[in-house]
Amino acid sequence: MNIERFIEARKALNLSQSELAEGICTQATLSRFENNGQIPTLKILLELCKRLNLSLGDLFPKVEIPNSAITEKMNQAEFFLITSEYQQAADLLTSITLPEAEEAQAVLRYYYLKGFLMFFQEESVMDVMFVFDQILLAEEPNPIFRLLAYTGIGMIYLREQQEEKAEFYFNKVLEQIYQYPIKDMEDTWRVLHIVFQSGVFYAHIQELELSNALLHYAVTICSDNHVTYYLARAAVQLAKNAMTRNEEKAVILELIYDARAYSKINRNQIALNELALLEAQVQKH
């Protein structure tokens, strides 16, 4: 408890200990609090604070400040990850050290962000795998972080062209992701990331029906939670899937136009460039 803050407030009002204590407690009780840190009853402390125009919260140590700063950095880094601004996310993450993030879930979140950023920046496969392993080896990993680690490892194996191993991990994700309860916006981002990457994987191995189901699920989550960024990415992949299945030109173009509208909302120039190429390819046939 910040007793110095209490003493400063008393002295600022030019009150002696006996004057402050009058009608509330004995001067000895107040002296033991100020000089020896012996906290009086809550009722007495509230009355003393009221006389000094302090709230009880003014005396509590502000232990939440460092973690709040870390959380804010992680929030921004996670948003940059979602919007594919990997360098900005990595720069934020390098300003966080694990000893500061002592809370278990903050550490798991750090590893999840670090693992995917390392993957997208094409760092050593073994190094990326090691980061995801930190999540899986945690004593009580949050289910969503475990699913994110499985997704990341599946993506690693896909990049290494080991499709069977990749499918093993994506199948583990599919066993659980539909039952995961979305509680807040961070959950929404993470579930969308998992569902979208799974949709991309199953498209890669030509399981297009399953891929489309996952991508439509991503669209539903976006609609229900008013999130637009993954709408564009899902629509782009749905258009690619439609092209692979040789669907009608009108169907493919409608998906491309939907994806373009979402991409414009999010100012996603990468997606817009990709869609221009897809449209040109469709129009040739």
Side-chain angles (χ1 to χ4, degrees), residues 151-180:
T151 301
I153 294 171
M155 291 166 68
I156 290 170
Y157 280 121
L158 179 61
R159 177 174 289 177
E160 294 298 296
Q161 300 181 346
Q162 298 187 47
E163 294 180 358
E164 288 188 10
K165 292 180 180 178
E167 188 171 10
F168 171 83
Y169 284 96
F170 278 108
N171 282 342
K172 291 177 76 68
V173 170
L174 289 190
E175 290 171 3
Q176 303 174 49
I177 193 60
Y178 281 103
Q179 284 75 43
Y180 184 81

Side-chain angles (χ1 to χ4, degrees), residues 138-153:
E139 291 185 5
E140 295 183 8
N142 182 310
I144 194 64
F145 292 119
R146 184 172 60 247
L147 293 177
L148 284 161
Y150 288 154
T151 301
I153 294 171

Side-chain angles (χ1 to χ4, degrees), residues 212 238 241-252 255:
N212 284 346
L238 283 167
N241 289 0
M243 292 172 68
T244 301
R245 298 174 73 170
N246 295 316
E247 295 191 16
E248 293 183 5
K249 182 176 179 179
V251 173
I252 299 172
L255 288 167

Side-chain angles (χ1 to χ4, degrees), residues 104-121:
Q105 296 307 309
V107 173
L108 293 176
R109 187 182 189 189
Y110 175 90
Y111 281 129
Y112 136 61
L113 293 171
K114 185 175 179 64
F116 277 103
L117 288 171
M118 290 173 67
F119 174 84
F120 287 121
Q121 293 183 310

